[in-house]
Short mmCIF file of all heavy atoms in Angstrom, two decimals:
data_model
loop_
_atom_site.label_atom_id
_atom_site.label_comp_id
_atom_site.label_asym_id
_atom_site.label_seq_id
_atom_site.Cartn_x
_atom_site.Cartn_y
_atom_site.Cartn_z
N SER A 39 -3.78 2.08 3.47
CA SER A 39 -2.84 2.95 2.93
C SER A 39 -3.52 4.07 1.92
O SER A 39 -3.32 5.25 1.97
CB SER A 39 -1.75 2.29 2.11
OG SER A 39 -2.27 1.42 1.23
N GLU A 161 10.19 -13.26 -8.91
CA GLU A 161 10.36 -14.79 -8.57
C GLU A 161 11.72 -14.92 -7.87
O GLU A 161 11.80 -15.58 -6.79
CB GLU A 161 10.30 -15.49 -9.80
CG GLU A 161 10.36 -17.00 -9.63
CD GLU A 161 9.14 -17.64 -8.75
OE1 GLU A 161 7.99 -17.07 -8.97
OE2 GLU A 161 9.38 -18.56 -8.02
N LEU A 176 22.65 -12.76 -15.78
CA LEU A 176 22.35 -13.34 -17.08
C LEU A 176 22.72 -12.48 -18.19
O LEU A 176 22.80 -11.01 -17.99
CB LEU A 176 20.78 -13.69 -17.23
CG LEU A 176 20.24 -14.65 -16.25
CD1 LEU A 176 18.71 -14.70 -16.36
CD2 LEU A 176 20.79 -16.03 -16.46
N ASP A 414 -23.63 15.96 -30.19
CA ASP A 414 -23.50 17.13 -29.27
C ASP A 414 -23.03 18.30 -29.96
O ASP A 414 -23.41 19.43 -29.68
CB ASP A 414 -22.44 16.76 -28.15
CG ASP A 414 -23.01 15.81 -27.09
OD1 ASP A 414 -24.30 15.58 -27.02
OD2 ASP A 414 -22.36 15.23 -26.32
N GLU A 425 -16.36 19.86 -17.15
CA GLU A 425 -15.95 18.40 -17.06
C GLU A 425 -15.89 17.83 -18.39
O GLU A 425 -14.87 17.14 -18.71
CB GLU A 425 -17.01 17.62 -16.19
CG GLU A 425 -16.45 16.18 -16.07
CD GLU A 425 -17.42 15.38 -15.09
OE1 GLU A 425 -17.48 15.66 -13.91
OE2 GLU A 425 -18.22 14.60 -15.63
N TYR A 445 7.52 9.21 -31.71
CA TYR A 445 8.49 10.06 -32.38
C TYR A 445 9.74 10.21 -31.38
O TYR A 445 10.86 10.25 -31.96
CB TYR A 445 7.82 11.38 -32.73
CG TYR A 445 8.81 12.62 -32.78
CD1 TYR A 445 9.56 12.85 -33.90
CD2 TYR A 445 8.86 13.67 -31.77
CE1 TYR A 445 10.36 14.03 -34.04
CE2 TYR A 445 9.52 14.69 -31.96
CZ TYR A 445 10.41 14.94 -33.04
OH TYR A 445 11.21 15.95 -33.14
N THR A 455 2.83 -0.95 -27.78
CA THR A 455 2.73 0.19 -26.81
C THR A 455 1.61 1.04 -27.23
O THR A 455 0.85 1.58 -26.22
CB THR A 455 4.04 0.98 -26.74
OG1 THR A 455 5.16 0.03 -26.76
CG2 THR A 455 4.33 1.80 -25.57
N LEU A 484 -36.08 10.19 -19.44
CA LEU A 484 -36.38 8.95 -18.77
C LEU A 484 -36.81 9.23 -17.33
O LEU A 484 -37.73 8.52 -16.85
CB LEU A 484 -35.12 7.93 -18.79
CG LEU A 484 -35.02 7.11 -20.04
CD1 LEU A 484 -33.73 6.36 -20.07
CD2 LEU A 484 -36.18 6.15 -20.08
N THR A 512 -15.48 24.01 7.52
CA THR A 512 -14.43 24.06 8.64
C THR A 512 -13.30 25.00 8.20
O THR A 512 -13.12 25.43 7.02
CB THR A 512 -13.82 22.74 9.02
OG1 THR A 512 -13.23 22.21 7.77
CG2 THR A 512 -14.97 21.77 9.37
#
Side-chain angles (χ1 to χ4, degrees):
Chain A
S39 55
E161 182 66 31
L176 303 171
D414 283 346
E425 181 176 292
Y445 155 78
T455 317
L484 272 173
T512 59

